[in-house]
Amino acid sequence: MPITKYIATIAAAAFLILPIYAQTAAPTAPATQVQPWKQIPIPPLPAFKPAQPLRVELENGVILFLQEDHELPFINGTILIRGGSRDEPNAKVGLTSLYGETWRTSGTATIDGDKLDDVLEAKAASIETSGGTASTSMAWSSLKGDFDSVFASTTDLLLHPTFKADKLQLAKQQLETGIARRNDDANGIASREAAKIAYGPHNPYARELEYATVDAVTLDDLNAWHTHTVVGSNLIVALSGDFDSAAMEAKLRAAFAPLPRGQRFQPFKATFTDPKPTVNFVSKDDVNQSNVIIVGLGTERSNPDYYALSVMNQVFSGGFGSRVVQDVRTKLGLAYSVEGNYGASYDHPGIFVVEAATKSATTVAATKALLTEIDRLKTEPPTPAELSKAKDQVLNSFIFHYDSPDKTLGEQVTLAFYGYPADTLEKYKSGIEKVTSADVSRVANKYIDTSKLAVIVVGNESQITPSLATLGLGTVKNLDITIPPPPGGKPAE
């Protein structure tokens, strides 16, 4: 049969069948559709009992955490060392970043960093070092069968590093490239300046590395830092993977017990002062939108009100269903993106921040809307629906942070590092469940003071109409973000 005739025959048959099918196969939908899924009972969450790692403390102060996980034939390890960028001298900001980079790339007295790269690559293994805010660290990973050799290289790098001048210079060039580019991104500028205003420009949690501070770091500084920090009382060693804990403990004891106890690193004690209610502006004429941040000091996780503040934060800015997103972005249409967070750090105040990206012409309107939402949080307690939804979201997201042995191990290491009780995780669930609407309203009024919040705007001044002065928060302060040039006429990278 010709193809055209075949298609015509099929089409005709379908035409004849369709009315019959329509009459017999499409019953009239009921006026009220049954929704059986709403009848499915939702049981309460079970008690939160994450698998706890084995914790051992050696006589010299080294703390060991061992978490067996036999799902895959891998072993991962981390050594957390007290002392980080917050403890650097003001004249040498960037020291621990340079230390963390140069440590690994330089290698040891027996094998340089480049050769170590080749050895590890052949085993699909890794050893990395890095510098952080409160600590420096070393991490390694390997197949179970390669653990002994990779661990031997790890301890060799830990105990016998050889910091090299060419690797330090390379690390400096990388940091200097970052300095040169730091004013390219408007959002990055806003976040950086917000931290400076919240904490103070010379506070160790907000200060910026500069060409001069990077240039001032020497090999002697790296060696001195290493000698001062790599002692028994400063180390937390954590392993997870396919091993027997008793056998692994014996290996770790043999490796770390000989370390001298040394003196435990005492972190720098910073002072914190609430920001003034000011409007701070950074002019960036190559953009057509504004990045707006409202910032103040947050709290610490040890605060008994941490649970209520967590729920408050979820009601206010926790995702698309939160007040600030629904009102400022969805209903008013004043922002491309809007978010917030009442920050809580482990051993110092976090930052309370509310931010939005908006068109230049709606900068003032968006800022006013954010301030209105902050005030409403203090005057309108969450409804029962808001409270229930917020608590569910907090608990659901919390569980997924600790849904594997490796994640639980990481949290236990963090708790030990900052001196929190080991059962902190288990208390969190019950703490959130006990939060009431009155608790949320109480902490909002106790911890959020609009007279201690500052506004930062990064945008194109010629396009911002009306002007920021119409916010009524005083004189607008223009922030200088000029990058100081390298010392001695050295060209910038």
Side-chain angles (χ1 to χ4, degrees):
M1 180 184 297
I3 187 65
T4 53
K5 186 175 181 181
Y6 176 78
I7 294 174
T9 302
I10 295 297
F15 180 78
L16 293 173
I17 294 173
L18 184 60
I20 301 174
Y21 177 81
Q23 295 174 12
T24 60
T28 304
T32 303
Q33 187 175 7
V34 178
Q35 298 177 328
W37 58 87
K38 291 188 175 182
Q39 307 304 318
I40 299 175
I42 301 176
L45 291 174
F48 182 59
K49 294 289 184 181
Q52 296 296 336
L54 172 67
R55 185 184 192 276
V56 179
E57 185 167 351
L58 306 185
E59 291 184 2
N60 62 353
V62 175
I63 298 174
L64 309 177
F65 283 98
L66 301 176
Q67 182 78 69
E68 292 187 29
D69 183 359
H70 302 287
E71 184 175 359
L72 295 171
F74 291 100
I75 298 178
N76 302 311
T78 302
I79 303 173
L80 206 60
I81 308 166
R82 299 181 188 277
S85 63
R86 66 184 183 182
D87 307 299
E88 301 166 339
N90 285 326
K92 298 192 177 187
V93 176
L95 188 157
T96 51
S97 292
L98 294 170
Y99 167 77
E101 180 69 20
T102 309
W103 186 5
R104 171 62 180 83
T105 57
S106 295
T108 75
T110 57
I111 183 171
D112 66 37
D114 295 334
K115 179 61 176 176
L116 183 57
D117 289 341
D118 295 336
V119 171
L120 294 172
E121 184 179 1
K123 298 177 180 179
S126 66
I127 301 175
E128 301 296 338
T129 58
S130 62
T133 302
S135 65
T136 57
S137 62
M138 176 178 286
W140 74 98
S141 176
S142 72
L143 289 165
K144 176 182 179 180
D146 293 324
F147 173 80
D148 289 342
S149 62
V150 174
F151 181 58
S153 296
T154 301
T155 53
D156 184 33
L157 187 61
L158 175 71
L159 303 177
H160 309 108
T162 302
F163 297 101
K164 295 181 178 179
D166 61 328
K167 298 301 185 182
L168 173 58
Q169 186 58 36
L170 179 60
K172 286 185 176 184
Q173 291 173 358
Q174 292 170 338
L175 287 187
E176 288 169 352
T177 299
I179 295 172
R181 309 294 300 182
R182 74 184 183 202
N183 288 338
D184 290 355
D185 178 61
N187 185 58
I189 295 170
S191 298
R192 182 185 74 222
E193 296 303 316
K196 287 183 181 180
I197 290 172
Y199 285 139
H202 303 297
N203 188 292
Y205 297 100
R207 61 190 177 182
E208 282 291 320
L209 53 86
E210 304 289 356
Y211 290 117
T213 65
V214 171
D215 186 65
V217 177
T218 66
L219 288 176
D220 287 341
D221 293 325
L222 304 188
N223 280 296
W225 183 273
H226 190 85
T227 300
H228 183 47
T229 59
V230 181
V231 294
S233 59
N234 276 342
L235 270 59
I236 299 178
V237 183
L239 274 80
S240 67
D242 190 12
F243 57 78
D244 173 75
S245 292
M248 183 60 73
E249 180 184 340
K251 291 180 180 181
L252 298 181
R253 282 184 177 275
F256 295 107
L259 273 175
R261 169 178 280 274
Q263 185 175 0
R264 183 164 174 168
F265 196 99
Q266 297 301 314
F268 176 79
K269 295 296 183 183
T271 56
F272 300 91
T273 303
D274 291 301
K276 304 296 183 182
T278 55
V279 178
N280 304 270
F281 179 68
V282 176
S283 178
K284 192 166 174 58
D285 58 11
D286 60 345
V287 299
N288 60 4
Q289 68 175 42
S290 295
N291 288 85
V292 180
I293 295 183
I294 300 172
V295 68
L297 286 180
T299 190
E300 295 187 16
R301 294 199 180 201
S302 57
N303 187 337
D305 285 329
Y306 174 59
Y307 307 117
L309 287 166
S310 297
V311 176
M312 177 202 77
N313 185 67
Q314 191 69 30
V315 170
F316 178 64
S317 58
F320 284 106
S322 65
R323 288 184 177 184
V324 71
V325 174
Q326 285 296 306
D327 290 342
V328 178
R329 183 179 184 271
T330 304
K331 294 180 181 178
L332 298 177
L334 290 173
Y336 308 116
S337 65
V338 58
E339 57 186 312
N341 182 51
Y342 194 89
S345 299
Y346 284 98
D347 65 351
H348 67 278
I351 295 179
F352 172 51
V353 59
V354 188
E355 56 186 303
T358 185
K359 294 182 296 185
S360 297
T362 55
T363 301
V364 170
T367 304
K368 288 182 176 180
L370 294 177
L371 292 168
T372 297
E373 286 305 312
I374 293 173
D375 283 332
R376 189 164 79 89
L377 184 64
K378 295 161 63 70
T379 58
E380 294 184 21
T383 64
E386 282 183 308
L387 182 69
S388 176
K389 181 179 179 181
K391 290 165 71 171
D392 284 346
Q393 289 173 333
V394 170
L395 289 174
N396 288 337
S397 63
F398 168 75
I399 293 298
F400 285 107
H401 284 296
Y402 313 104
D403 59 348
S404 71
D406 191 61
K407 291 180 182 179
T408 302
L409 173 65
E411 186 64 20
Q412 285 300 323
V413 169
T414 301
L415 295 175
F417 184 89
Y418 290 106
Y420 280 67
D423 64 348
T424 298
L425 297 180
E426 298 178 33
K427 290 180 178 178
Y428 185 84
K429 176 177 176 290
S430 60
I432 294 295
E433 289 174 336
K434 293 176 183 177
V435 174
T436 65
S437 179
D439 290 329
V440 172
S441 184
R442 175 182 60 81
V443 297
N445 282 276
K446 179 178 180 180
Y447 293 98
I448 298 178
D449 185 345
T450 52
S451 70
K452 297 177 180 178
L453 299 177
V455 177
I456 300 94
V457 177
V458 178
N460 191 327
E461 186 173 14
S462 64
Q463 297 179 2
I464 297 176
T465 55
S467 72
L468 295 176
T470 60
L471 287 170
L473 299 176
T475 303
V476 177
K477 179 181 179 181
N478 290 296
L479 301 179
D480 182 9
I481 61 170
T482 304
I483 301 172
K490 176 184 174 183
E493 294 295 329

